[in-house]
Amino acid sequence: MSTAAIDLLQQRYGLAAETRPAVITNAITTALFSHRSVRAYLDKPLPDNTLETLLAAAQSAASSSNLQPWSLLAVEDPERKARLAALAGNQTHIRQAPLFLVWLADFSRIQRQADQQGVELQALGYLDSFLVGSVDAALAAQNAVVAAESLGLGTVYIGALRNNLREVIEELHLPPLVYPVFGLTVGYPDPDKPTAIKPRLPQAVVLHRETYSAPATEAQSIQDYDRSIAAFYQQQGLASANWSSQTFQRLNKVAALHGRERIGQVLKEQQFDLL
Amino acid sequence: MSTAAIDLLQQRYGLAAETRPAVITNAITTALFSHRSVRAYLDKPLPDNTLETLLAAAQSAASSSNLQPWSLLAVEDPERKARLAALAGNQTHIRQAPLFLVWLADFSRIQRQADQQGVELQALGYLDSFLVGSVDAALAAQNAVVAAESLGLGTVYIGALRNNLREVIEELHLPPLVYPVFGLTVGYPDPDKPTAIKPRLPQAVVLHRETYSAPATEAQSIQDYDRSIAAFYQQQGLASANWSSQTFQRLNKVAALHGRERIGQVLKEQQFDLL
């Protein structure tokens, strides 16, 4: 591996050589390994045809049975971005980024065609269809992220768009059988607020072979990771926390869902029956 | 755009210049636009460190609140691959590919840590947590697909791994709070069975600006697309069908879910409460 690649993998997996996987590097894998989330943007317009490029990349991702059960909603109006930022936990980067993409699971397009031809779509009411729409939107969005980074742009996913799902659906005029899976900000990263590569769990904790089996060293590996990520947050000038405590805090109380505990109800109102 | 890029976009969006978006091409966007699903593989081992490379790419994708609520299960045993192929609609490419990756939404790792520290995870029971696990697994998998293609490998997603979800969970010894979102075959494409770039819906049908609004020309655009994709299937020597009829067939009757109508029940047995 090149020195640059070793440096990248150190940032991703920590300094200990034993947790650093041997990987194949080329221009594309290096770009993937280099991903970081960007939450501070320049007030600078995007290159021409950025949106078309990200959408073409997104549509090039696989789609279950080629259903293409998703749509892309591009928000550039400052006032709408501000309202969406307020609904999504006051994330100021939604206002700051020139482009805010909302990734929609969308079965309404298919339903409109079926209505015209008098076809009933009985399978739509099942949880699996909801899952297919959500997963296909995610595959598409991830391709768009990779494309955006290749243009020198930064992104961050906004899951908090589901905090106030009903209000977001109304703001965006979403018809039944459509819901926003998540948002994505797109813009030039502010070089005065650089972001770093976030360390992840060691591969040995995430990878299973043949059958699922948690490694005997899992708890110890996670303790080591907790120390790595606490050091990372400290370097970034953020409140020192570790992965376990953050994860527990995020999942301990229903209140930490910030409204997302209601998405099941709102989705049913949007005619996702989730059977 | 280069001639090569125009050719790629013609394959993706059809011959009519008006449905061909203007895009920015570079090595990475060109690679993304070139994606095709591969269902025929050579009997040839993968490059050394392929698995570590795909996993590092996958772990480099964003994760909601850094929960990392997914795991990767790598299957190489021919007998296990054969059993999984039988469970997933007899897809022979699962047996043929040297590596079959199962992408797991996995909250059991966090639950094990919480149990050790006596922490309750009340938020786990909500639909949003199930969605976060599934979406994060999808973002990770898509990065792995992009990485695999950069190594000259081909892939295809296997959603049919959910057809017999209970049996797959037992085959892979998955504990509660873990489920296979989908599978992914990985191998060298068989050059004797080349695959083509599948045309997608025109961007005008998929893209909305500021608010959701189906274009007035939607039905006409879909009719045009139906003709494009019928021609594509004919070129590929496949039974001629169009997008609308295929989509209706896939969603018309519950029977077309091939068992996936039961995933809600099986997931609840796996302790995803889906509240």
Side-chain angles (χ1 to χ4, degrees):
Chain A
M1 287 197 290
S2 67
T3 321
I6 290 175
D7 183 52
L8 267 180
L9 289 163
Q10 280 187 352
Q11 293 178 63
R12 186 64 77 199
Y13 291 105
L15 290 171
E18 68 270 19
T19 59
R20 202 162 66 224
V23 298
I24 306 168
T25 53
N26 58 37
I28 288 179
T29 61
T30 301
L32 295 170
F33 301 153
S34 304
H35 167 77
R36 59 211 71 189
S37 293
V38 173
R39 293 182 179 83
Y41 296 97
L42 293 182
D43 181 17
K44 180 179 166 184
L46 301 178
D48 285 346
N49 301 126
T50 295
L51 184 55
E52 291 79 1
T53 304
L54 303 194
L55 180 51
Q59 290 190 275
S60 298
S63 168
S64 179
S65 305
N66 197 31
L67 293 177
Q68 304 178 62
W70 60 272
S71 287
L72 178 59
L73 199 158
V75 178
E76 296 174 281
D77 176 39
E79 293 180 9
R80 182 165 289 105
K81 282 192 297 173
R83 289 194 296 273
L84 291 168
L87 289 170
N90 286 312
Q91 297 191 50
T92 53
H93 36 280
I94 299 175
R95 282 193 279 124
Q96 203 179 38
L99 177 62
F100 184 55
L101 296 179
V102 182
W103 297 87
L104 305 168
D106 182 357
F107 284 99
S108 78
R109 179 167 52 233
I110 296 171
Q111 185 67 64
R112 282 190 292 278
Q113 304 312 307
D115 287 345
Q116 285 180 15
Q117 303 190 32
V119 175
E120 226 190 321
L121 302 180
Q122 293 178 357
L124 273 193
Y126 287 82
L127 182 67
D128 198 80
S129 297
F130 166 77
L131 182 63
V132 160
S134 307
V135 162
D136 277 13
L139 302 180
Q142 186 58 22
N143 258 15
V145 163
V146 175
E149 291 178 355
S150 82
L151 306 178
L153 303 171
T155 65
V156 67
Y157 284 101
I158 309 291
L161 208 59
R162 302 190 303 273
N163 288 10
N164 294 286
L165 188 56
R166 169 51 56 206
E167 290 77 1
V168 169
I169 285 169
E170 286 169 8
E171 172 67 45
L172 302 176
H173 302 189
L174 304 184
L177 296 173
V178 181
Y179 93 97
V181 189
F182 44 70
L184 186 79
T185 58
V186 181
Y188 281 103
D190 182 346
D192 291 341
K193 294 175 182 159
T195 50
I197 289 176
K198 190 176 275 182
R200 299 287 195 214
L201 289 164
Q203 292 204 338
V205 166
V206 175
L207 181 64
H208 304 257
R209 287 179 181 270
E210 298 304 330
T211 57
Y212 191 101
S213 171
T217 55
E218 184 181 66
Q220 182 59 53
S221 294
I222 289 177
Q223 279 179 31
D224 293 344
Y225 176 61
D226 276 339
R227 274 193 295 275
S228 292
I229 199 134
F232 168 82
Y233 285 128
Q234 210 155 29
Q235 271 172 12
Q236 300 292 303
L238 299 170
S240 189
N242 66 41
W243 183 75
S244 297
S245 64
Q246 279 196 322
T247 299
F248 295 161
Q249 203 171 0
R250 168 75 172 67
L251 295 170
N252 179 212
K253 300 281 185 204
V254 177
L257 289 170
H258 295 294
R260 291 191 222 174
E261 68 275 18
R262 292 187 301 264
I263 73 164
Q265 180 56 41
V266 177
L267 286 166
K268 284 173 191 163
E269 291 162 14
Q270 280 299 96
Q271 299 179 19
F272 289 97
D273 294 340
L274 309 175
L275 298 176
Chain B
M1 287 197 293
S2 68
T3 322
I6 289 174
D7 183 51
L8 267 180
L9 289 163
Q10 281 187 352
Q11 294 177 64
R12 187 63 77 198
Y13 291 105
L15 290 171
E18 67 272 17
T19 59
R20 201 163 66 225
V23 298
I24 307 168
T25 53
N26 58 38
I28 289 179
T29 61
T30 300
L32 295 170
F33 301 153
S34 304
H35 167 77
R36 60 211 71 190
S37 293
V38 172
R39 293 183 179 82
Y41 296 97
L42 293 182
D43 181 18
K44 180 181 166 183
L46 301 178
D48 285 347
N49 300 126
T50 294
L51 184 55
E52 291 79 2
T53 304
L54 303 194
L55 180 52
Q59 290 190 275
S60 298
S63 169
S64 180
S65 306
N66 198 31
L67 293 177
Q68 305 178 61
W70 60 271
S71 287
L72 179 58
L73 199 159
V75 179
E76 296 174 281
D77 176 40
E79 292 180 10
R80 182 165 289 105
K81 283 192 295 170
R83 290 194 296 272
L84 290 169
L87 289 170
N90 286 312
Q91 297 191 52
T92 51
H93 36 281
I94 298 175
R95 281 194 281 126
Q96 203 179 39
L99 177 62
F100 183 56
L101 296 178
V102 182
W103 297 88
L104 305 168
D106 182 357
F107 284 98
S108 79
R109 180 167 51 232
I110 297 170
Q111 184 68 63
R112 282 190 292 276
Q113 304 313 306
D115 286 346
Q116 284 181 16
Q117 303 191 31
V119 175
E120 226 191 320
L121 301 180
Q122 294 179 358
L124 274 193
Y126 287 83
L127 182 67
D128 199 79
S129 297
F130 166 76
L131 182 63
V132 161
S134 307
V135 163
D136 276 14
L139 302 179
Q142 186 57 22
N143 258 16
V145 164
V146 174
E149 291 178 356
S150 82
L151 306 179
L153 302 171
T155 66
V156 68
Y157 284 102
I158 309 291
L161 208 58
R162 302 189 303 274
N163 288 10
N164 294 287
L165 189 54
R166 169 52 55 206
E167 290 78 2
V168 170
I169 285 169
E170 285 169 9
E171 172 66 44
L172 302 176
H173 302 190
L174 305 184
L177 295 173
V178 181
Y179 94 96
V181 188
F182 44 70
L184 186 79
T185 58
V186 181
Y188 282 103
D190 183 346
D192 291 341
K193 294 174 183 161
T195 49
I197 289 176
K198 191 176 275 183
R200 298 288 194 214
L201 289 164
Q203 292 204 337
V205 166
V206 175
L207 181 64
H208 303 258
R209 286 180 182 269
E210 300 302 332
T211 57
Y212 190 101
S213 172
T217 55
E218 184 179 68
Q220 183 59 53
S221 294
I222 289 177
Q223 279 180 30
D224 294 345
Y225 176 61
D226 275 339
R227 274 193 295 274
S228 292
I229 199 134
F232 167 82
Y233 285 128
Q234 209 154 32
Q235 271 173 11
Q236 299 293 303
L238 299 170
S240 189
N242 66 42
W243 183 75
S244 297
S245 64
Q246 279 196 322
T247 300
F248 295 160
Q249 203 170 1
R250 170 73 172 68
L251 295 171
N252 179 211
K253 300 281 185 205
V254 177
L257 287 171
H258 296 294
R260 292 191 222 175
E261 68 276 16
R262 293 187 300 265
I263 72 164
Q265 180 55 41
V266 177
L267 286 166
K268 283 173 191 163
E269 292 161 14
Q270 280 298 96
Q271 300 180 18
F272 289 98
D273 294 341
L274 309 176
L275 300 176

